């Protein structure tokens, strides 16, 4: 509740309290005032009084002028450099859209953030820091790299023309930060809103994890995030704020560019986003630094003894602030300073042009430096700087503060000349209209200063470094012999994975590099035995006696714990996985993360984060446990996964496998570790695991290569002349094998049995062979593994616990007719047997599908199909399972 003097029941007593507090401040200083206020607030919050503090602080800067450190740089040169960056970024976008109107790009976002970036580049962003860049400001980052000599004019001329650039032998510049597309430049993809904020938090936490486990000294390194105020509405942006405060991540600094505008209009037209974010971040435990007004306002505030400016700001909403940004000095005088006599008097000595040039805090290099300096000297908690700017700053009537600013791609000649004049750029009118790039001579003061500042901070940023540091890996026999030579022993593939993981953790070289990650499901997956042996990471250790301390599976937290237990947050867990999976490039330290989760809660729930992982060339294992639609008895619709495999297969550098046995998983695990940790391949693996105990076959060494390629023959037909080929995978392999026996015993049909470990790997290889044949008509058609294994026209029946789209990936590359059985539709709560009968993927439906395929092929009488329906009681209730 805001205090209003008019409602004061005893003004004299109130004045005495204020005077007493002022006396304490004068005599004992602000620390003593804070102590007294803490004591009084503790009393006032007692239930009998029920006082709550007012949320937020006045709409002014958190750092007063007298607390600002001296600016350490050459202010004039830095302002000239910022102006050059603004121009080159604008010219780059406009050139692209003059040549090809559909290319797009953004001018206004970087125009608002240029000073925020420049202070960072000149004074704070060290070469070993991690910096997450506001995606729409990418042109400005390219503009700086151009002046640094890291990009050429030809590169800038091919902004958003990566394919065309490659054909012309130059570097094309991608639209937003994309490490996959510019692997030596960008570190983190931030183009999808909300991904950068949550990723930055978990990267900062992972740096502490490395430090506490003794793997790398990360003290002194900072994670910076420059994000937009509109982006803060994304759930991912806010979802881990409390973790950052709880972990005391004072190595984390966010700069939120509060230009008050999103794509279509104000972020908060009828409110104030700065106030809202201040309350959110402060409530989460962050230090909040408000950077609202520039140095030009300091004199006005100093003369404003009655607080008229702060009072006026208290009832000015963002929609009006945007209008003030779009209008000139005369309008601002009439509609802001002429609100009352006190404001009018403060503005009397200012011309309209001076009012127009009053800067917001995010455009004042001195104020920005003070905020960044304070953030780096904050101990025990993360910091957010809420920097108010103008979207399209300097674009004048063509774009500054306009509703259409975000989509602005072009300026006319007069606007370009006005921009040139606004920033005193060394261009003639014709050069400005011609969008000529500006690069001062190498020996100019600006260029010498720019290079000296980056040299002092350790080198250029952004820059992605990925040294190839192969790790020695154990042979599979050392950690997976029980699976490779299982000889019918019964277990689930989840159980097999946990056992292999426990063995790998004992390896002296690889073991310390393994990062097990769970989202509160370790006990479900049988991993509780790891709690005691390797511990759960906790930055402050364990300050309580767990309830189960006497158990061999007791819950043990430790500062050097190895497991990352993220609680009920799939977004948090995958962000931790990405932090570990990109450690090879971010820290020069290859790690091997295993994130195991309910497969339903992976690509479906956090697919955007997984695509971001692919973009930044992550290496590691994602393990979809309780895999398949019918393996998870009793759970139902939102837990039974039938579609993660085709979703994962859409990610180009994700290798997707659905193993049916522990031995197959062991081979895939070994292959993945060697590709990622020894060969340095930028790929990652999605592998399904089942919770159903089944007899596990051994796997001969000569089958290992075929497991990786995606397909191998499990059983030849009795007469080695198959009438039909049965393909099975994952959780339903046992049903396919049972169907093969029924076909032989009940119908005297010889079936050849194949195990498919990856339809996507088969499809990718077959697709490549088809392309090779198409583009090289004079050469013999290359044979794919699929065509070699499944030649001719023998009917094929493929059964999967996933939707039919998964096996159908290979259908275009086969000569034979292919029938696919899958689990399209919503899940159900019931037993495994009932679910498989309902989705028509059990052994009896497989037999019927095989008989039908043979009848369609003319190989047997169709009457046998009706006999099978009667024999196995396969009734049609009129409703396909995918519609039920």
């Amino acid at each position: 509740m805001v205090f209003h003097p008019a409602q004061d029941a005893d003004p004299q007593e109130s004045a005495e309290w204020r005077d007493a507090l002022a006396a304490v401040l004068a005599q004992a200083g602000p620390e003593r005032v804070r102590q007294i206020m803490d004591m009084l607030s503790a009393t006032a919050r007692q239930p009998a009084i029920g006082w709550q503090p007012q949320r937020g602080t006045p709409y002014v800067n958190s750092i007063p002028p007298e607390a600002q450190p001296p600016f350490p740089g050459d202010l004039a040169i830095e302002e000239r450099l910022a102006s050059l960056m603004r121009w080159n970024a604008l010219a780059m976008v406009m050139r692209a859209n003059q040549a090809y109107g559909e290319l797009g790009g953004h001018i206004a976002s970087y125009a608002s953030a240029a000073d925020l970036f420049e202070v960072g580049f000149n004074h704070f962003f060290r070469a070993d820091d991690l910096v997450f860049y506001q995606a729409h400001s990418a042109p400005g980052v390219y503009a700086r790299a151009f002046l640094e000599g890291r990009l050429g004019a030809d590169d800038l001329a091919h902004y958003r023309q990566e394919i065309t650039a490659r054909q012309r032998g130059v570097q094309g510049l991608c639209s937003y930060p994309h490490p996959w597309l510019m692997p030596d430049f960008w570190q983190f993809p931030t183009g999808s809103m909300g991904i950068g904020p949550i990723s930055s938090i978990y990267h900062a936490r992972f740096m502490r994890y490395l430090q506490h486990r003794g793997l790398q000294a990360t003290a002194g390194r900072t994670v910076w995030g420059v994000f937009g105020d509109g982006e803060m509405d994304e759930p991912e942006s806010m979802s881990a704020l409390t973790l950052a405060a709880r972990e005391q991540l004072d190595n984390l600094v966010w700069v939120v560019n509060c230009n008050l505008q999103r794509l279509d209009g104000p972020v908060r037209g009828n409110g104030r986003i700065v106030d809202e974010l201040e309350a959110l971040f402060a409530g989460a435990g962050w230090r909040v630094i408000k950077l609202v007004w520039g140095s030009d306002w300091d004199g006005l505030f100093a003369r404003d003894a009655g607080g008229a400016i702060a009072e006026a700001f208290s009832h000015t909403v963002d929609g009006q602030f945007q209008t003030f940004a779009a209008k000139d000095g005369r309008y601002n005088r009439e509609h802001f300073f002429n609100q009352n006599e006190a404001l009018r008097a403060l503005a009397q000595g200012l011309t309209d042009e001076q009012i127009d040039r009053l800067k917001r805090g995010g455009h004042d290099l001195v104020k920005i430096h003070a905020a960044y300096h304070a953030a780096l000297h904050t101990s025990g908690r993360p910091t957010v700087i809420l920097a108010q700017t103008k979207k399209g700053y300097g674009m004048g009537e063509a774009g500054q503060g306009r509703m259409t600013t975000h989509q602005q791609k072009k300026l006319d000649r007069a606007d370009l000349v006005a921009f040139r004049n606004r920033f005193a750029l060394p261009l003639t009118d014709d050069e400005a209209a011609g969008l000529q790039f500006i690069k001062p001579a190498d020996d100019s003061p600006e260029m010498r200063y720019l290079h000296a500042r980056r040299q002092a901070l350790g080198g250029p940023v952004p820059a992605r470094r990925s040294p190839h540091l192969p790790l020695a890996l154990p042979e599979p026999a050392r950690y997976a012999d029980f699976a490779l030579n299982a000889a019918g022993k019964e277990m689930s593939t989840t159980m097999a994975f946990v056992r292999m993981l426990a063995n790998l953790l004992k390896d002296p070289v690889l073991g310390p590099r393994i990062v097990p990650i769970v989202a509160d499901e370790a006990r479900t997956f049988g991993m509780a035995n790891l709690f005691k042996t390797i511990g759960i990471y906790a930055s402050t250790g364990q300050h309580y006696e767990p309830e189960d301390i006497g158990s061999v599976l007791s819950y043990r937290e430790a500062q050097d714990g190895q497991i990352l237990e993220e609680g009920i947050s799939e977004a948090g867990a995958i962000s931790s996985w990405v932090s570990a999976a990109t450690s090879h490039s971010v820290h020069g330290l290859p790690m091997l993360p295993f994130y195991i989760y309910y497969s339903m809660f992976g690509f479906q729930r956090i697919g955007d984060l997984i695509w971001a992982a692919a973009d930044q060339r992550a290496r590691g294992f994602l393990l979809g446990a309780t895999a398949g639609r019918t393996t998870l008895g009793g759970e139902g619709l939102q837990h039974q996964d039938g579609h993660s495999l085709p979703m994962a297969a859409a990610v180009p550098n994700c290798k997707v496998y659905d193993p049916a046995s522990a031995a197959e998983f062991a081979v895939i695990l070994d292959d993945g570790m060697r590709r990622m940790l020894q060969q340095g391949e930028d790929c990652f693996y999605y592998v399904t695991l089942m919770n159903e105990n089944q007899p596990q076959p051994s796997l001969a060494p000569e089958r290992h290569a075929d497991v990786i390629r995606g397909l191998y023959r499990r059983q030849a037909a009795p007469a080695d002349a198959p009438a039909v080929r049965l393909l099975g995978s994952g959780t339903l392999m046992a049903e396919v094998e049972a169907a093969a026996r029924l076909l032989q015993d009940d119908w005297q049909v010889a079936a050849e049995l194949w195990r498919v470990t990856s339809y996507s790997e088969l499809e990718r290889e077959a697709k490549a062979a088809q392309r090779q044949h198409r583009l090289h008509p004079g050469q013999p058609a290359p044979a794919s593994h699929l065509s070699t294994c499944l030649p001719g026209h023998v009917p094929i029946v493929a059964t999967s616990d996933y939707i039919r789209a998964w096996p159908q990936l290979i259908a275009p590359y086969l000569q034979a007719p292919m029938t696919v059985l899958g689990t399209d539709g919503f899940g159900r709560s019931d037993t495994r047997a009932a679910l498989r009968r309902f989705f028509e993927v059990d052994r009896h439906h497989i037999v019927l599908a095989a008989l039908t395929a043979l009848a369609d092929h003319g190989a047997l009488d169709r009457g046998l199909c009706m006999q099978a329906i009667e024999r196995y009681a396969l009734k049609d209730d009129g409703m396909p399972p995918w519609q039920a």
Side-chain angles (χ1 to χ4, degrees):
M1 182 177 179
V2 178
F3 175 77
H4 294 287
Q7 301 171 359
D8 194 345
D10 192 337
Q12 182 176 349
E13 183 182 38
S14 298
E16 291 172 356
W17 276 93
R18 283 195 299 270
D19 292 343
L21 199 62
V24 173
L25 177 61
Q27 295 175 16
E31 178 61 29
R32 180 56 180 157
V33 172
R34 289 193 291 268
Q35 291 175 355
I36 292 174
M37 293 306 299
D38 287 343
M39 175 190 68
L40 291 175
S41 65
T43 301
R45 289 186 186 211
Q46 293 179 3
I49 300 174
W51 173 81
Q52 292 293 325
Q54 180 182 342
R55 291 174 56 192
T57 58
Y59 205 72
V60 297
N61 293 340
S62 300
I63 302 174
E66 59 271 17
Q68 293 175 190
F71 187 75
D74 187 316
L75 189 59
I77 288 182
E78 292 194 25
E79 287 181 338
R80 289 200 297 274
L81 283 170
S83 297
L84 296 181
M85 307 304 175
R86 279 194 176 90
W87 172 261
N88 286 336
L90 178 150
M92 183 192 327
V93 175
M94 286 192 58
R95 280 186 173 204
N97 283 280
Q98 282 185 352
Y100 308 97
E102 76 273 17
L103 289 178
H106 301 277
I107 300 171
S109 292
Y110 178 71
S112 70
D115 298 304
L116 299 173
F117 281 116
E118 281 305 299
V119 173
F121 282 126
N122 287 323
H123 300 284
F124 293 96
F125 297 166
R126 299 184 59 83
D128 60 354
D129 284 349
L130 313 185
V131 185
F132 290 77
Y133 298 90
Q134 185 180 12
H136 291 145
S137 294
V141 182
Y142 295 140
R144 168 166 267 268
F146 169 60
L147 290 196
E148 292 175 344
R150 302 170 61 207
L151 296 175
D154 284 344
D155 299 323
L156 267 61
H158 287 85
Y159 171 63
R160 292 195 172 203
Q161 300 164 67
E162 298 165 81
I163 300 169
T164 303
R166 184 172 61 182
Q167 294 169 348
R168 296 174 181 174
V170 297
Q171 167 75 68
L173 304 183
C174 51
S175 55
Y176 305 123
H178 292 300
W180 187 264
L181 302 175
M182 295 179 67
D184 299 323
F185 194 87
W186 295 114
Q187 274 189 315
F188 308 109
T190 55
S192 187
M193 299 292 98
I195 302 301
I198 190 172
S199 296
S200 70
I201 291 174
Y202 281 89
H203 272 283
R205 201 276 295 267
F206 190 72
M207 287 166 64
R208 292 286 173 80
Y209 173 88
L210 293 177
Q211 177 92 21
H212 289 152
R213 289 194 54 220
L215 295 172
Q216 189 174 88
T218 59
R221 298 175 65 191
T222 302
V223 179
W224 297 85
V226 184
F227 308 119
D229 49 357
E231 184 175 4
M232 294 299 104
D233 283 343
E234 289 286 0
E236 292 89 350
S237 297
M238 297 285 109
S239 64
L241 295 187
T242 55
L243 177 136
R246 186 169 67 247
E247 296 287 314
Q248 301 180 3
L249 298 180
D250 50 18
N251 62 339
L252 176 66
V253 179
W254 280 13
V255 182
V256 180
N257 177 19
C258 297
N259 60 34
L260 314 183
Q261 288 184 244
R262 47 184 172 77
L263 275 68
D264 291 336
V267 176
R268 295 291 183 273
N270 296 307
R272 281 204 300 269
I273 189 63
V274 171
D275 289 348
E276 184 178 320
L277 293 178
E278 178 185 21
L280 282 168
F281 280 93
W286 290 50
R287 181 185 182 184
V288 179
I289 297 175
K290 290 165 75 170
L291 174 59
V292 189
W293 307 111
S295 300
D296 297 338
W297 286 88
D298 289 344
L300 296 174
F301 280 112
R303 301 201 309 270
D304 184 17
I309 300 177
E311 173 61 24
F313 288 154
S314 71
H315 55 74
T316 303
V317 297
D318 282 356
Q320 189 61 47
F321 277 128
Q322 179 188 346
T323 301
F324 288 149
K327 302 295 185 179
D328 60 13
R330 179 179 294 275
Y331 180 93
N332 279 265
R333 181 190 298 277
E334 290 296 323
H335 292 82
F336 181 75
F337 286 106
N338 283 351
Q339 292 183 66
N340 55 55
E341 285 301 322
L343 289 173
R344 187 179 293 111
L346 288 170
Q348 274 184 346
L350 299 176
T351 66
D352 288 348
E353 184 179 2
Q354 286 174 320
I355 292 176
D356 189 46
R357 294 295 183 96
L358 288 172
K359 288 183 178 179
R360 296 186 178 180
H363 300 304
D364 188 309
L365 302 184
V366 174
K367 296 288 187 184
I368 297 168
H369 179 273
Y372 287 12
H373 182 271
L376 278 192
H377 288 80
T378 298
S379 178
R381 53 179 172 160
T383 299
V384 61
I385 298 167
L386 304 177
Q388 184 169 241
T389 64
K390 294 180 181 180
K391 192 155 190 175
Y393 180 65
M395 292 171 65
E397 294 184 1
Q400 181 172 286
R402 303 286 175 178
M403 290 291 188
T404 56
T405 295
H406 190 82
Q407 286 80 14
Q408 192 83 28
K409 318 295 181 193
K410 299 178 182 179
L411 302 178
D412 62 24
R413 181 184 179 94
D415 293 327
L416 290 169
V417 171
F419 191 96
R420 186 271 318 269
N421 294 339
R422 172 70 178 80
F423 294 106
L425 297 166
L427 295 168
T428 66
D429 288 1
D430 288 343
E431 288 171 340
L435 299 169
Q436 179 173 306
F437 293 132
I438 305 173
K439 187 173 185 180
D442 291 343
D443 62 350
S444 66
E446 292 84 0
M447 295 295 279
R448 291 201 305 269
Y449 186 90
L450 176 138
H451 289 297
R453 292 311 309 145
R454 285 316 312 160
Q455 185 176 1
L457 293 169
V461 290
R464 183 179 180 275
R465 305 165 185 88
S466 187
H468 182 49
L469 302 170
L471 284 179
L473 298 176
E475 291 299 320
R478 287 181 50 193
Y479 62 86
D481 185 68
F482 72 93
L484 294 169
N485 298 292
K489 184 177 180 181
E490 193 169 280
M491 72 184 85
S492 69
T493 52
T494 300
M495 182 191 307
F497 157 69
V498 174
R499 187 171 170 184
M500 291 180 212
L501 178 65
N503 290 339
L504 287 171
L505 285 164
K506 299 172 186 175
D507 185 81
V509 176
L510 179 63
R513 303 292 187 96
I514 292 175
V515 185
I517 303 170
V518 291
D520 205 41
E521 293 285 0
R523 295 185 193 277
T524 302
F525 304 135
M527 297 172 64
N529 62 308
L530 299 179
F531 290 168
K532 259 196 173 178
T533 56
I534 60 174
I536 299 164
Y537 173 69
S539 59
T540 59
Q542 191 166 37
H543 300 287
Y544 63 93
E545 183 178 281
E547 169 273 329
D548 59 353
I549 192 169
S551 167
V552 294
L553 304 179
S554 66
Y555 198 82
R556 185 176 74 87
E557 299 184 77
Q559 191 177 58
D560 62 350
Q562 198 161 347
I563 301 171
L564 289 175
E565 163 59 89
E566 301 299 1
I568 306 175
S569 173
E570 286 86 2
I574 191 65
S575 296
S576 269
W577 181 86
V578 171
S579 299
T582 57
S583 181
H584 64 281
S585 62
V586 175
H587 306 294
L589 182 73
M591 302 291 284
L592 183 62
F594 292 91
Y595 171 30
I596 181 171
Y597 54 87
Y598 270 48
S599 62
M600 186 70 157
F601 305 140
F603 282 78
Q604 167 180 297
R605 188 161 187 165
I606 48 175
D608 206 7
L609 285 157
I610 293 174
W611 271 91
D615 192 345
Q616 58 198 297
R617 299 168 175 262
R619 301 173 187 171
F621 286 92
L622 298 172
L623 302 165
T626 61
R629 187 85 78 196
T630 68
T631 190
L632 193 56
E635 287 284 6
L637 190 150
Q638 285 188 281
H639 282 69
Q640 292 169 346
D641 165 38
H643 47 274
S644 68
L645 287 170
M647 292 175 75
V651 182
N653 56 337
C654 180
K655 293 186 173 294
V656 185
Y657 287 92
D658 185 30
S661 70
E664 291 172 3
F665 176 80
V667 171
I668 294 164
L669 175 62
D670 177 68
D671 175 72
M673 291 193 298
R674 297 191 185 282
R675 285 178 186 270
M676 295 183 290
L677 297 180
Q678 287 194 331
Q679 300 167 24
E681 186 173 337
D682 287 327
C683 64
F684 65 101
Y685 283 66
Y686 175 62
V687 188
T688 59
L689 297 173
M690 63 178 123
N691 64 332
E692 184 174 357
N693 288 333
Q694 293 182 349
Q696 298 292 326
S698 299
L699 186 66
E702 59 267 23
R703 298 294 190 193
H704 291 191
D706 289 343
V707 167
I708 300 305
R709 298 184 78 175
L711 175 70
Y712 69 99
R713 190 169 69 176
R714 171 65 178 161
Q715 173 184 301
D720 205 26
V724 65
R725 288 175 171 141
L726 302 185
L727 276 56
S729 57
T731 60
L732 291 184
M733 194 65 229
E735 292 297 314
V736 175
E737 291 174 343
R741 292 191 295 270
L742 288 175
L743 281 168
Q744 181 65 44
D745 295 345
D746 292 353
W747 310 99
Q748 291 74 55
V749 171
E752 190 174 67
L753 192 60
W754 291 81
R755 297 179 81 120
V756 183
T757 53
S758 178
Y759 284 104
S760 60
E761 288 298 298
L762 292 171
E763 187 264 350
R764 288 171 179 176
E765 186 196 22
K767 181 167 55 180
Q770 189 182 77
R771 176 183 179 273
Q772 177 75 11
H773 177 55
R774 185 171 62 249
L775 294 177
H776 301 276
Q779 298 178 7
S784 68
H785 185 61
L786 186 64
S787 63
T788 300
C789 292
L790 304 177
H793 296 82
V794 177
I796 295 171
V797 177
T799 305
S800 171
D801 211 13
Y802 282 78
I803 59 175
R804 287 165 173 78
W806 174 237
Q808 283 170 344
L809 286 172
I810 66 171
Y813 309 99
L814 295 171
Q815 293 179 310
M818 179 176 175
T819 302
V820 177
L821 303 182
T823 56
D824 303 64
F826 287 125
R828 291 291 193 281
S829 300
D830 215 307
T831 63
R832 291 182 181 122
L835 289 168
R836 288 163 184 169
R837 175 57 63 106
F838 171 78
F839 281 106
E840 301 172 2
V841 292
D842 65 356
R843 61 195 66 184
H844 298 136
H845 278 285
I846 297 170
V847 169
L848 177 60
L851 296 176
T852 302
L854 288 168
D856 292 343
H857 198 56
L860 56 76
D861 186 271
R862 195 170 298 277
L864 292 179
C865 299
M866 183 57 66
Q867 293 179 32
I869 291 172
E870 294 296 328
R871 182 168 189 166
Y872 302 135
L874 304 179
K875 303 298 183 183
D876 181 7
D877 62 4
M879 180 68 74
W882 55 86
Q883 295 180 1

